Amino acid sequence: MKISIITATFNSGATLRDTLESVLSQTHNDVEHIIKDGGSSDNTLEIAGSFRQRYADAGKSLVIVSEKDSGLYDAMNKGIAMATGDVIGILNSDDFYTSNDILSTVEREIEGFDAVYGDIHYVKDPDLDRCIRYYSSRAFRPWKMRMGYMPAHPSFYCRRRVYSLYGEFDTSFKVAADFEQLLRLIFINRIAIRYVSKDFVTMRVGGVSTSGLESHKRIFADHMRAYRKNNVHSCIFLEGIRYADRIIEKILRLLHVST
């Protein structure tokens, strides 16, 4: 089974090497890794190009395309359009796989399903071995999307034909296009999904969805618009439940650290 990995880059030289090394280390070799660059001016393309031979030696394919795009989700859509794999996943340029058996797990667990997803955890430079937050998708259920819950999107691997049927990212959503897409795929079209109890991806804090109060305000606004677009009933109160859960989670984590 060929698995296509999409990585959108823009001046990602500081972190891209970790991303590439983690794909290269995967025990599953039928991999197409597409680097969709937005016209970087740093050493991003030089770093990506230096991995070409190593990928080829490992039996993996590395595709590098650099051209202007309209942002992260547009770049992801262009990568998806280029993909030739049976299954597609997204790996951000400042993230990396938590272990070397992630893609072999995807190949095994997606049998009979349209998509699989798992867990992720967050780290912060320079100590990439220290988990500062663990995001488990275990408790996710499709009905919880009315409250803004979703599977950890960096752990989401979906058959390419699903994107052909139900569409890619709606680029009019600048922060939460991933939520709108999963709402469309999982809640509206009810694709067959499976949770895998495994930590898929290590994410550095500070990305599009992890960068402070203003980001969360934009996410909230995008969620409400996603409900309206897809004719899904929700409200501020239901969305508020998720934020209350986050506050409780932070308090419990602080109490744990203090003891």
Side-chain angles (χ1 to χ4, degrees):
M1 172 186 289
K2 181 189 283 189
I3 301 177
S4 294
I5 309 301
I6 313 301
T7 297
T9 60
F10 183 73
N11 292 342
S12 305
T15 59
L16 181 61
R17 191 176 300 277
D18 289 342
T19 307
L20 293 162
E21 291 283 5
S22 77
V23 175
L24 190 61
S25 71
Q26 292 298 298
T27 56
H28 181 82
N29 285 328
D30 195 359
V31 173
E32 173 186 63
H33 191 186
I34 298 172
I35 306 297
K36 174 56 191 73
D37 184 72
S40 292
S41 58
D42 68 353
N43 61 343
T44 295
L45 295 174
E46 179 183 346
I47 291 172
S50 72
F51 277 76
R52 286 188 188 274
Q53 190 58 52
R54 293 177 63 192
Y55 268 65
D57 291 344
K60 295 177 169 69
S61 171
L62 180 61
V63 179
I64 304 170
V65 176
S66 183
E67 61 182 13
K68 293 293 184 181
D69 53 53
S70 301
L72 177 63
Y73 295 115
D74 181 44
M76 289 178 178
N77 280 344
K78 289 180 177 179
I80 291 171
M82 294 168 57
T84 61
D86 306 290
V87 172
I88 296 175
I90 306 292
L91 185 64
N92 295 326
S93 62
D94 49 0
D95 304 339
F96 52 92
Y97 289 121
T98 304
S99 59
N100 65 3
D101 62 345
I102 302 303
L103 298 185
S104 60
T105 299
V106 169
E107 179 187 32
R108 180 178 66 252
E109 298 292 341
I110 204 169
E111 181 67 31
F113 290 85
D114 294 318
V116 296
Y117 59 93
D119 303 339
I120 62 174
H121 77 277
Y122 295 90
V123 296
K124 185 176 183 178
D125 284 317
D127 188 359
L128 301 182
D129 293 322
R130 178 175 173 266
C131 174
I132 62 174
R133 183 191 171 206
Y134 192 89
Y135 185 124
S136 175
S137 301
R138 181 183 298 277
F140 173 76
R141 300 293 183 274
W143 60 267
K144 288 187 175 183
M145 297 201 80
R146 291 183 184 272
M147 297 182 285
Y149 290 99
M150 60 187 282
H153 192 265
S155 74
F156 187 78
Y157 284 77
C158 185
R159 295 191 184 274
R160 182 161 54 97
R161 58 177 170 76
V162 171
Y163 291 126
S164 298
L165 285 171
Y166 304 124
E168 300 164 350
F169 295 100
D170 182 342
T171 57
S172 69
F173 291 81
K174 299 304 181 185
V175 179
D178 49 357
F179 175 79
E180 191 281 327
Q181 184 197 55
L182 292 185
L183 184 72
R184 192 174 355 112
L185 299 184
I186 296 172
F187 191 88
I188 300 297
N189 292 294
R190 301 184 182 279
I191 65 171
I193 56 176
R194 167 184 275 177
Y195 167 69
V196 179
S197 182
K198 189 174 184 65
D199 182 358
F200 278 39
V201 174
T202 302
M203 294 187 66
R204 286 178 172 87
V205 295
V208 171
S209 60
T210 63
S211 54
L213 181 61
E214 287 303 315
S215 177
H216 285 294
K217 288 180 180 178
R218 293 194 297 271
I219 289 170
F220 181 84
D222 265 9
H223 279 206
M224 300 310 293
R225 190 159 71 89
Y227 297 132
R228 292 193 297 270
K229 173 191 171 183
N230 292 283
N231 296 315
V232 174
H233 173 70
S234 188
C235 62
I236 294 175
F237 172 75
L238 288 175
E239 270 277 321
I241 293 173
R242 179 171 61 91
Y243 285 95
D245 275 354
R246 287 288 303 276
I247 292 171
I248 293 171
E249 175 192 337
K250 288 183 179 180
I251 292 172
L252 291 175
R253 188 165 63 247
L254 288 172
L255 289 173
H256 176 72
V257 171
S258 65
T259 56

